């Protein structure tokens, strides 16, 4: 059994969860400890006890530990990527990219530990100075999703630790192996006991226990429904909260778009990583003049995509991550057909040599803005295409969503790109690029129902993981 890490010790649990490969359901990755509410309370208590010492640690001490973790992640990239591909189902190439990103995040945040900024200002009063400093927010709970099982824990853990906080990480129950490997690396990198704790198991059990145990801040990435529940619970307890809750991201194809570029952006954003990205292009909005050519080419490319075992070298798309997610995808496909959307290709379960959750990417045309397929996050290889009357209509359709994470446009016009960049109601805008795919050193986050609280990643992460103190000094 792979154990939880609590107060610097690997702790067994009474129960375990079996981790299976979605590419091959006969491949058992391992049995991972399913923690109890008492385990979570012990982890938070350990983080609380370790906080005074860790917040007094020097920036160099924190930087050295984070840099060592980043170096090990990068050195073991193929091993860790193979593990990630086995447990989550994204292709080995995609998994390798995620692992490399995680290593880079740790190395970047190691630098941020040394770049903590303060300000010394003159007061409006004579003989008074004003010192503005940042301090760690305290014990931070992290609840992470299954679709990026190493990158998202990395981009939450690294800045939290860099700024002197102690951490309790609760990864998604579906993908414990990558989080366990990350915890093992951090443990051996030299973190003092209790500074970083890994608690695996059911969110329904461990989430409430984490809040009740007395954390100071919570960073959550997951569903909108769970996010709303956490927002209410954190407000009652005075817990600082950061939420990332997905999107229904539009990609607008202007009439002057370069055809092959637009199709490739669509294929990448909608179907790669099996569509299981919160920044995926789940809606493509196409202007009228390019619509016939674009749809013909998109259907051709979509039907030719190779779906297979995540570790197979010729696979372009891996399996859906779980039986539950596959069932949800099929339900969305059935609802779209019932609502009158035209299924151009895909949408069926695929048989492969190994038992797995294989789904042919589904391409829907003739979608209306009021259809569920155009409004609800599917989180799978399912794409809704809407035809716009003109650019103004396309822009209005792009913004017609309660979400606001990412938005993209394909166009050869600087004027149209500029207008879209300014008027798109999203936290991140892509021009002639897929909506999915972001850098680790710049802010990540959205608007409206997609996000709440400070941005993640880069130097902007300090806004959440620190609190500002203003000190007045009489001279």
């Amino acid at each position: 059994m792979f154990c939880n890490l609590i107060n610097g010790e690997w702790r067994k649990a009474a129960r375990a969860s079996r981790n299976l490969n979605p590419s091959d359901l006969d491949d058992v990755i391992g049995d991972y400890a399913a923690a109890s509410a008492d385990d979570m309370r012990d982890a938070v208590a350990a983080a609380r006890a370790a906080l005074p010492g860790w917040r007094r640690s020097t920036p160099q001490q924190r930087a050295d530990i984070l840099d060592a973790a980043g170096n090990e992640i990068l050195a073991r990239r193929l091993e860790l990527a193979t593990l990630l591909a086995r447990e989550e189902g994204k292709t080995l190439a995609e998994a390798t990219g995620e692992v490399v990103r995680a290593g880079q995040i740790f190395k970047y945040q190691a630098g941020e530990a040394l770049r903590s900024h303060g300000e010394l200002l003159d007061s409006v009063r004579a003989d008074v100075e004003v010192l503005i400093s940042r301090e760690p927010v305290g014990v931070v709970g992290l609840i992470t999703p299954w679709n990026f099982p190493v990158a998202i824990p990395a981009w939450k853990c690294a800045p939290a630790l860099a700024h002197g906080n102690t951490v309790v990480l609760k990864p998604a129950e579906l993908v414990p192996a990558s989080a366990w490997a990350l915890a093992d690396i951090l443990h051996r990198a030299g973190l003092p006991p209790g500074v970083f704790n890994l608690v695996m198991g059911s969110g329904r059990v461990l989430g409430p226990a984490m809040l009740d145990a007395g954390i100071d801040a919570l960073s959550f990435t997951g569903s909108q429904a769970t996010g709303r529940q956490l927002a209410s619970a954190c407000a009652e307890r005075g817990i600082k909260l950061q939420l990332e809750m997905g999107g229904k991201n539009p990609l607008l194809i202007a009439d002057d778009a370069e055809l092959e570029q637009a199709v490739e952006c669509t294929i990448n954003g909608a179907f790669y990583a099996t569509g299981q990205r919160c920044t995926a292009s789940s809606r493509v909005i196409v202007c009228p003049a390019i619509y016939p050519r674009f749809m013909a080419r998109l259907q051709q490319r979509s039907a030719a995509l190779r779906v297979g075992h995540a570790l197979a070298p010729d696979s372009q798309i891996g399996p859906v991550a779980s039986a539950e997610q596959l069932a949800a995808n099929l339900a969305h496909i059935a609802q779209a057909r019932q609502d009158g959307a035209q299924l151009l290709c895909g949408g069926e379960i695929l048989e492969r040599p190994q038992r797995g959750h294989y789904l042919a990417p589904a391409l829907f045309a003739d979608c209306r803005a009021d259809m569920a397929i155009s409004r609800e996050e599917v989180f799978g290889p399912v794409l809704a295409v809407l035809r716009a009357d003109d650019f103004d209509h396309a822009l209005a359709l792009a913004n017609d969503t309660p979400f606001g994470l990412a938005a993209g446009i394909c166009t050869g016009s600087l004027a149209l790109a500029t207008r879209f960049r300014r008027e798109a109601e999203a936290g991140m805008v892509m021009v002639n690029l897929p909506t999915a795919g972001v850098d680790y050193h710049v802010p990540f986050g959205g608007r409206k129902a997609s996000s709440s609280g400070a941005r993640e990643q880069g130097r902007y992460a300090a806004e959440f993981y620190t609190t500002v103190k203003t000190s007045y000094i009489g001279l």
Side-chain angles (χ1 to χ4, degrees), residues 108-126:
Y108 177 91
Q109 292 297 337
E112 285 296 279
L114 298 168
R115 288 189 289 266
S116 296
H117 297 296
E119 297 178 82
L120 180 64
L121 301 178
D122 291 331
S123 172
V124 297
R125 293 171 286 174

Side-chain angles (χ1 to χ4, degrees), residues 42-326:
D42 288 347
V44 174
R48 178 68 62 193
L51 180 61
W54 183 244
R55 71 187 301 167
R56 289 194 302 268
S57 62
T58 68
Q60 190 65 60
Q61 288 172 317
R62 299 195 296 273
D64 288 345
I65 290 171
L66 295 179
D67 191 58
N71 286 335
E72 181 170 343
I73 291 169
L74 294 175
R76 296 171 56 194
R77 66 184 69 184
L78 181 57
E79 172 198 346
L80 295 172
T82 301
L83 177 66
L84 194 162
R86 284 176 65 207
E87 79 163 349
E88 195 273 345
K90 61 184 59 175
T91 65
L92 183 59
E94 292 168 333
T96 302
E98 180 177 342
V99 169
V100 169
R101 179 179 176 185
Q104 291 168 334
I105 287 167
F106 272 96
K107 292 180 72 65
Y108 177 91
Q109 292 297 337
E112 285 296 279
L114 298 168
R115 288 189 289 266
S116 296
H117 297 296
E119 297 178 82
L120 180 64
L121 301 178
D122 291 331
S123 172
V124 297
R125 293 171 286 174
D127 299 324
V128 175
E129 286 185 341
V130 180
L131 178 64
I132 302 170
S133 56
R134 287 190 176 273
E135 297 181 351
V137 72
V139 176
V140 179
L142 307 176
I143 300 178
T144 57
W146 51 261
N147 61 322
F148 283 88
V150 68
I152 293 181
W155 87 46
K156 294 181 188 293
C157 289
L161 295 169
H163 293 291
N165 301 279
T166 54
V167 169
V168 179
L169 170 63
K170 209 300 285 183
E173 191 174 11
L174 183 65
V175 287
S178 294
W180 190 94
L182 178 59
D184 179 56
I185 289 170
L186 285 170
H187 179 57
R188 289 183 292 97
L191 286 175
V195 171
F196 175 86
N197 304 271
L198 173 70
V199 187
M200 302 176 290
S202 167
R204 293 179 181 177
V205 173
L206 300 178
M210 176 187 284
L211 299 182
D212 291 340
I215 58 173
D216 298 303
L218 173 66
S219 180
F220 167 82
T221 299
S223 72
Q224 195 176 21
T226 302
R228 283 195 295 263
Q229 294 173 359
L230 290 172
S232 177
C234 287
E236 292 176 0
R237 295 164 173 81
I239 296 171
K240 187 177 183 180
L241 180 62
Q242 180 182 63
L243 297 175
E244 291 293 345
M245 298 174 290
K248 192 66 180 174
N249 311 295
L251 177 63
L252 192 160
I253 311 298
D255 282 329
D256 68 344
E258 199 284 313
L259 180 63
E260 288 303 315
Q261 181 184 61
V263 169
E264 289 308 309
C265 284
T266 301
I267 292 291
N268 182 309
F271 296 138
Y272 283 7
T274 323
Q276 296 171 158
R277 298 183 284 194
C278 57
T279 52
S281 308
S282 53
R283 293 184 298 145
V284 172
I285 301 162
V286 188
C287 289
I290 198 174
Y291 186 88
R293 292 184 298 124
F294 175 81
M295 291 306 296
R297 182 62 176 145
L298 180 62
Q299 181 177 354
Q300 181 184 44
R301 286 282 288 109
S302 300
L305 289 169
R306 298 186 298 276
V307 180
H309 195 293
L311 297 178
D314 61 341
S315 292
Q316 294 174 291
I317 297 172
V320 176
S322 68
E324 293 76 13
Q325 191 60 40
L326 177 60

Side-chain angles (χ1 to χ4, degrees), residues 266-466:
T266 301
I267 292 291
N268 182 309
F271 296 138
Y272 283 7
T274 323
Q276 296 171 158
R277 298 183 284 194
C278 57
T279 52
S281 308
S282 53
R283 293 184 298 145
V284 172
I285 301 162
V286 188
C287 289
I290 198 174
Y291 186 88
R293 292 184 298 124
F294 175 81
M295 291 306 296
R297 182 62 176 145
L298 180 62
Q299 181 177 354
Q300 181 184 44
R301 286 282 288 109
S302 300
L305 289 169
R306 298 186 298 276
V307 180
H309 195 293
L311 297 178
D314 61 341
S315 292
Q316 294 174 291
I317 297 172
V320 176
S322 68
E324 293 76 13
Q325 191 60 40
L326 177 60
N329 292 345
L330 293 172
H332 280 289
I333 291 168
Q335 184 64 54
R337 300 184 72 174
Q338 182 177 327
D339 290 343
Q342 181 185 3
L343 181 61
L344 297 183
C345 63
E348 71 274 10
I349 292 177
L350 299 173
E351 297 294 330
R352 292 294 181 263
Q354 301 85 11
R355 293 191 309 122
H357 306 308
Y358 296 104
L359 178 66
L363 173 62
F364 281 100
D366 300 332
C367 297
R368 301 188 311 272
D370 63 343
M371 290 180 177
I373 197 68
S374 303
R375 304 202 68 79
E376 298 175 5
E377 186 177 39
V378 177
F379 227 65
V382 181
L383 174 60
V385 180
L386 294 82
R387 180 169 181 163
D389 298 334
D390 52 31
F391 184 83
D392 287 340
H393 183 216
L395 182 56
L397 287 172
N399 288 331
D400 181 21
T401 172
F403 295 100
L405 184 55
I409 184 172
C410 291
T411 179
S413 166
L414 178 60
L416 291 182
T418 300
R419 183 182 171 197
F420 184 83
R421 180 178 58 81
R422 290 174 175 171
E423 298 184 23
E425 297 170 358
M428 298 177 290
V429 176
M430 317 295 187
V431 178
N432 294 325
L433 292 167
T435 59
V438 296
D439 291 355
Y440 61 86
H441 68 302
V442 296
F444 177 96
R447 301 181 184 178
K448 301 192 281 190
S450 288
S451 303
S452 178
R455 289 290 192 263
E456 299 197 86
Q457 297 202 127
R459 64 182 178 87
Y460 283 78
E463 298 298 326
F464 180 72
Y465 292 107
T466 64

